[in-house]
Amino acid sequence: MTSTSTPPSTPHSFQVDLRGLVDLLSHHLYSSPRVYVRELLQNAVDAITARHALDPAAEVRIRLSASAGRVTIEDSGIGLTAAEAHSLLATIGRSSKRGGDGADLDEPGLEATRQEFLGQFGIGLLACFVVARQIRVVTRSARDPQAAPVEWLATDDGSYTVRELPHEARPEPGTTVVLEARPGATEWAAPAKVEELARDYGSLLPYDITFDDGEGGEPRPVTDRPAVWDRAFPTPAARRVALAGHCAQLFGFTPLDSIDLDLPVAGVRGVAYVLPEPTSPAHRAGHRVHLKGMLLTDQADNLLPDWAFFVRAVLDTDTLRPTASRENLYDDETLAAVRDALGARVRGWLAELAASDPERLAAFLQVHHLGVKSMARHDSELLGLMLPWLPFETSDGSMSLQEFAAAHTDIHFTRTVEEFRQIAPIAAAHGLGVINAGYTYDADLLALLPAVRPELKVTELDAGAVTERLDPVPTATELALAPFLATARTRLEAQGCDVVLRAFQPVSVPALYLDDRQARQERDRTAALESADSLWSGILGSLRGSAPRARLVLNHNNPLIRRIAALPDEALTGTAVESLYGQALLMSQRPLRPADSTLLNRAFLGLLEWATHSTDARDAQEDQK
């Protein structure tokens, strides 16, 4: 038996279409060509970091310049040999910070330094082709002092050359990168734009960086360290002024206050600025995040909890993980933990204000009470802390829950603003404590209130509770008006509405429409019953509730009600009652059902007919005279 062996396959390397790569980077990975400046700064800073691991006494120099469509950056970093230039500058997924193929992380000190590098994905200089038609790199290695300087020259058609240069071409270790802007991208190589981008990305980088616009002046500093939140100031007031100025320069507003975001364990330092104007809870503010000094993004919307929409933050971190484009934060467990810790700092700032500076807290809550209410929904301790400060709209006026609870142990609330505004003046006149829970988060907070203050009873307002607080009319009077009430109830039976007579303030309100959730549910069940088939009719009929229906409460103190009750014409009385129902319904600002619209039209036309008929009758009497 003979055996045959399969010949070994020949390995091949992937070929990269550089034009396709540039299109991928510029249109799909990066949000803007502006990131090319970040890539240049990043490579220079990492080269300096690697050089310092090899020689801590080495010179630190990074100089950026721009003129005539050309951008140049020079550093005194680790540099490259010819072999490294071949291997690293033209290979996706590899960088001089990784082990193997010339990246000597096994050398003493380099492995410990690896965590200080900014680069993560080895894309490096190739990303600069988003604006460049040609990239020239002249570099000399500090690892091999005998190695000659190297020139690496690449164009955007995907080709590159590597050649050794005479030693005098670059006497000292380091790297110089020169970009030639391609047509259509010259705006990104303008000196003013390059300097602006360098300051934006690199102001907090750990090494001094200068910029030269090529006009003969002194190079200007790009970096501005230490960060303003880490600087020493003579007084707390001076620090607040400096932070306010930093916020105005960075975000364009003067903050109400600033909150230190210092998490040494998580490698996070920064500050949150409190917005001076209200903002929507649905708006997710963009925060500025620096990674080891390099700006990662100014639109991080996952850095703080959703409830902290009233602050804009800026911070530097060396632990959070960037996305592939290095333009946002990767939402992992580490970020979740940091987000919770930063939220705790904001909460702690509120607690400190409540304890030591109530005036500043009141000024803050006047603008941002909605954000604090959002926090307190999930934190009963914070709710208890904020009870003396959080404003609510109540039947006694705008006040805190603590003030309101001092006057009312039985607290009622309405779920809609319209219902509250209809009932508030009547509730105030009769000592009924009602809170408007129609605004965002208020109903949730009221549900938590008994957990903070067990002696309080909080219930949703229902028609029965209001009716019980209104003064009954004398029994004899109600008996005398029984025919009128019977007519009114008959007319409104089809609307699922009962009619009761009470005496209440203010006198100017002739009728009050009272509805509650149970009554609405019963009305919806009845409507479904009318349109259901026989099977569902039986099921829905068995579910008939015992909850009271909606109520039209007629005010016996109102002169109009007394005149309508005294009308001798039963048909006219019914039309007037329908008009009162329609007016009370409109005042409550509830949605009108088709049956309600029909009733309103009928009552309006009936009153017009009665008015014109009465005029005709008076005219006929005058003619007879």
Side-chain angles (χ1 to χ4, degrees):
M1 184 176 178
T2 60
S3 62
T4 59
S5 60
T6 304
S9 58
T10 302
H12 298 278
S13 297
F14 285 103
Q15 299 299 311
V16 176
D17 178 2
L18 188 55
R19 290 185 184 274
L21 174 64
V22 170
D23 178 74
L24 175 67
L25 294 177
S26 59
H27 292 98
H28 301 285
L29 184 62
Y30 296 132
S31 62
S32 166
R34 71 198 304 267
V35 298
Y36 88 93
V37 173
R38 183 192 67 195
E39 296 294 338
L40 292 175
L41 293 174
Q42 173 182 294
N43 288 340
V45 168
D46 286 347
I48 295 288
T49 301
R51 177 77 181 275
H52 267 210
L54 188 67
D55 179 8
E59 176 191 12
V60 173
R61 184 182 70 257
I62 301 176
R63 181 168 178 168
L64 181 67
S65 61
S67 64
R70 175 180 295 177
V71 178
T72 303
I73 187 167
E74 181 183 1
D75 68 69
S76 57
I78 194 69
L80 299 172
T81 64
E84 290 170 345
H86 272 294
S87 177
L88 302 174
L89 293 178
T91 305
I92 300 300
R94 188 177 298 164
S95 78
S96 60
K97 284 84 74 176
R98 301 178 184 274
D101 292 330
D104 299 325
L105 287 179
D106 291 333
E107 293 183 17
L110 284 183
E111 179 62 40
T113 308
R114 181 177 178 180
Q115 63 180 349
E116 301 300 325
F117 292 120
L118 299 172
Q120 298 286 333
F121 302 96
I123 293 174
L125 281 177
L126 293 183
C128 294
F129 277 114
V130 296
V131 298
R133 66 174 183 84
Q134 177 182 282
I135 301 176
R136 180 174 184 261
V137 178
V138 176
T139 180
R140 183 165 187 173
S141 175
R143 292 195 187 104
D144 185 359
Q146 304 304 317
V150 176
E151 178 196 67
W152 181 88
L153 183 66
T155 58
D156 60 2
D157 63 2
S159 64
Y160 75 94
T161 61
V162 177
R163 67 187 180 101
E164 292 188 350
L165 300 176
H167 284 269
E168 59 268 17
R170 184 169 185 101
E172 299 295 330
T175 301
T176 300
V177 180
V178 181
L179 306 185
E180 297 284 350
R182 57 182 172 82
T186 53
E187 62 176 300
W188 296 104
K193 173 61 71 174
V194 174
E195 183 176 14
E196 174 193 342
L197 295 177
R199 292 182 187 279
D200 198 35
Y201 280 116
S203 62
L204 299 184
L205 286 173
Y207 307 121
D208 290 338
I209 301 171
T210 60
F211 176 80
D212 186 351
D213 59 10
E215 296 183 358
E218 285 292 321
R220 295 184 288 272
V222 168
T223 47
D224 184 22
R225 301 186 319 276
V228 64
W229 54 83
D230 283 331
R231 296 174 190 172
F233 294 94
T235 64
R239 185 174 189 272
R240 282 197 297 270
V241 170
L243 288 172
H246 177 252
C247 177
Q249 181 182 12
L250 204 60
F251 294 123
F253 65 85
T254 301
L256 281 178
D257 207 345
S258 57
I259 308 167
D260 283 319
L261 303 178
D262 183 8
L263 303 174
V265 175
V268 172
R269 285 281 296 158
V271 63
Y273 294 115
V274 181
L275 293 166
E277 296 178 351
T279 187
S280 168
H283 174 67
R284 303 193 70 176
H287 308 291
R288 286 180 66 93
V289 179
H290 296 257
L291 179 61
K292 301 182 179 73
M294 180 73 77
L295 178 67
L296 189 71
T297 179
D298 59 3
Q299 294 298 322
D301 59 3
N302 55 357
L303 181 65
L304 292 176
D306 290 342
W307 51 256
F309 54 83
F310 50 84
V311 299
R312 294 283 300 276
V314 54
L315 56 81
D316 188 24
T317 175
D318 55 18
T319 59
L320 298 180
R321 179 182 169 194
T323 58
S325 65
R326 296 196 292 280
E327 292 185 289
N328 212 332
L329 293 171
Y330 191 81
D331 210 336
D332 55 10
E333 292 182 357
T334 301
L335 178 58
V338 168
R339 183 165 49 237
D340 290 343
L342 293 178
R345 287 301 171 95
V346 177
R347 182 188 177 281
W349 168 78
L350 280 171
E352 183 180 346
L353 283 188
S356 62
D357 201 338
E359 290 185 3
R360 283 171 64 199
L361 178 64
F364 165 76
L365 289 176
Q366 188 175 2
V367 179
H368 294 298
H369 61 273
L370 203 56
V372 179
K373 286 182 178 181
S374 176
M375 280 190 287
R377 289 181 305 155
H378 309 291
D379 190 335
S380 58
E381 183 180 350
L382 179 63
L383 176 59
L385 183 68
M386 292 290 110
L387 277 181
W389 310 103
L390 288 177
F392 286 80
E393 186 177 7
T394 78
S395 52
D396 294 346
S398 180
M399 61 180 61
S400 70
L401 282 178
Q402 181 163 297
E403 292 174 312
F404 191 72
H408 304 277
T409 55
D410 286 345
I411 296 177
H412 302 272
F413 66 91
T414 64
R415 291 190 178 272
T416 66
V417 175
E418 294 77 17
E419 185 179 4
F420 172 80
R421 289 178 179 170
Q422 185 196 22
I423 198 65
I426 296 161
H430 293 270
L432 186 65
V434 181
I435 294 177
N436 181 6
Y439 296 119
T440 306
Y441 308 133
D442 285 5
D444 295 335
L445 292 179
L446 289 172
L448 287 175
L449 189 56
V452 179
R453 298 282 297 274
E455 73 277 10
L456 299 178
K457 180 181 179 183
V458 180
T459 56
E460 184 175 354
L461 185 69
D462 60 58
V466 178
T467 307
E468 289 172 3
R469 285 299 186 103
L470 304 181
D471 297 333
V473 297
T475 303
T477 302
E478 189 162 6
L479 289 174
L481 296 177
F484 162 68
L485 293 175
T487 300
R489 288 168 180 148
T490 300
R491 279 299 185 102
L492 298 184
E493 177 66 28
Q495 310 306 122
C497 182
D498 198 6
V499 178
V500 295
L501 186 66
R502 292 290 187 272
F504 57 86
Q505 301 295 326
V507 175
S508 58
V509 178
L512 176 66
Y513 181 82
L514 295 177
D515 201 2
D516 54 37
R517 184 163 50 180
Q518 290 180 319
R520 289 191 291 272
Q521 289 173 345
E522 181 66 16
R523 192 163 56 244
D524 292 342
R525 188 204 60 80
T526 303
L529 178 63
E530 293 173 353
S531 60
D533 56 27
S534 57
L535 173 62
W536 281 107
S537 294
I539 296 174
L540 292 171
S542 67
L543 297 176
R544 179 180 295 276
S546 59
R549 300 183 298 173
R551 300 182 186 185
L552 181 68
V553 183
L554 302 178
N555 186 3
H556 190 253
N557 289 339
N558 183 272
L560 177 61
I561 296 297
R562 296 188 180 191
R563 289 197 296 270
I564 292 175
L567 289 173
D569 187 337
E570 183 176 329
L572 179 58
T573 299
T575 300
V577 168
E578 288 180 342
S579 299
L580 289 170
Y581 170 85
Q583 187 265 349
L585 196 61
L586 291 173
M587 290 296 294
S588 70
Q589 300 187 35
R590 289 176 173 82
L592 296 180
R593 298 170 296 164
D596 295 328
S597 299
T598 301
L599 178 143
L600 281 170
N601 289 332
R602 182 174 66 242
F604 178 70
L605 294 175
L607 289 177
L608 283 179
E609 184 177 352
W610 176 81
T612 54
H613 177 76
S614 300
T615 301
D616 291 342
R618 286 195 298 270
D619 290 344
Q621 291 176 355
E622 291 293 330
D623 291 341
Q624 290 177 358
K625 293 180 182 179

